[in-house]
Amino acid sequence: MRLWSYVPDGTYLGPIEADPDRMNPGTFLSPAFTTDVEPPGTGAGEWVVWQDGGWVIVEDHRGE
C-alpha cells in the first residue's frame, strides 16, 4: 500500500510503501506523518503541504 509522507510542519517528503500489519492480516501500518491521500501535482515554484486533513499548494521559495 502506498502512503505519502510529510514532516511535522506538513511539508511533503515523498511516497513510501506501508508495511503489512502482521497482527492483523490484510491491513497495513501507517507511520506517523503519513496519509493515503495522494498529493496534487504542482507547477514551477509550487510545493504541497499537509494542512487540516488535506493537501494545500503553496509557493516554493526553497533555495532562494
Side-chain angles (χ1 to χ4, degrees), residues 3-16 30-39 47-56:
L3 298 174
W4 288 268
S5 64
Y6 53 92
V7 294
D9 72 2
T11 303
Y12 176 61
L13 288 177
I16 65 167
S30 294
F33 306 111
T34 63
T35 179
D36 62 353
V37 179
E38 185 173 358
W47 198 246
V48 290
V49 175
W50 184 255
Q51 236 176 24
D52 299 324
W55 293 110
V56 177

Side-chain angles (χ1 to χ4, degrees), residues 19-32:
D19 292 326
D21 184 345
R22 293 184 180 144
M23 300 299 289
N24 297 297
T27 63
F28 293 85
L29 301 172
S30 294

